[in-house]
Amino acid sequence: MFENIKTMDELKATCDIALANKRGIVVLIKLPGLEAPEEIYNPPSNVRAKRDYYTKTYKTNLRMVHNDAIRIVGCYTK
């Protein structure tokens, strides 16, 4: 479980832990103009699809492909 993450490998590892333990994930996303990161919860049934989505939508440094100002800054199981 990585609360503060820096790489896609860490995000994938957290998703894999969640899948193995039938847990959901919380992803923290830093958006321009917001002081605190957005927290997005996904239940266990969504983790596999969200893992695929994040892999396609974010670069290995966790910055969004279409908007470099948006980035994933944390992820943990719940």
Side-chain angles (χ1 to χ4, degrees):
M1 175 187 340
F2 296 90
E3 195 159 325
N4 296 309
I5 59 174
K6 296 185 187 315
T7 69
M8 183 59 69
D9 286 340
E10 291 174 335
L11 177 71
K12 288 179 184 178
T14 302
C15 290
D16 291 343
I17 291 167
L19 287 166
N21 293 290
K22 297 182 171 112
R23 297 184 60 129
I25 57 168
V26 176
V27 178
L28 302 149
I29 299 178
K30 182 68 177 140
L31 299 163
L34 296 181
E35 201 170 304
E38 178 179 75
E39 293 184 36
I40 301 170
Y41 171 72
N42 284 282
S45 60
N46 291 356
V47 173
R48 188 174 311 282
K50 293 307 287 190
R51 182 186 191 276
D52 293 342
Y53 167 79
Y54 291 129
T55 301
K56 292 174 187 168
T57 308
Y58 289 82
K59 302 173 194 172
T60 57
N61 66 359
L62 300 176
R63 292 193 178 269
M64 187 178 243
V65 171
H66 301 293
N67 185 343
D68 210 43
I70 298 173
R71 62 189 167 96
I72 296 172
V73 295
C75 183
Y76 59 92
T77 63
K78 182 173 181 178

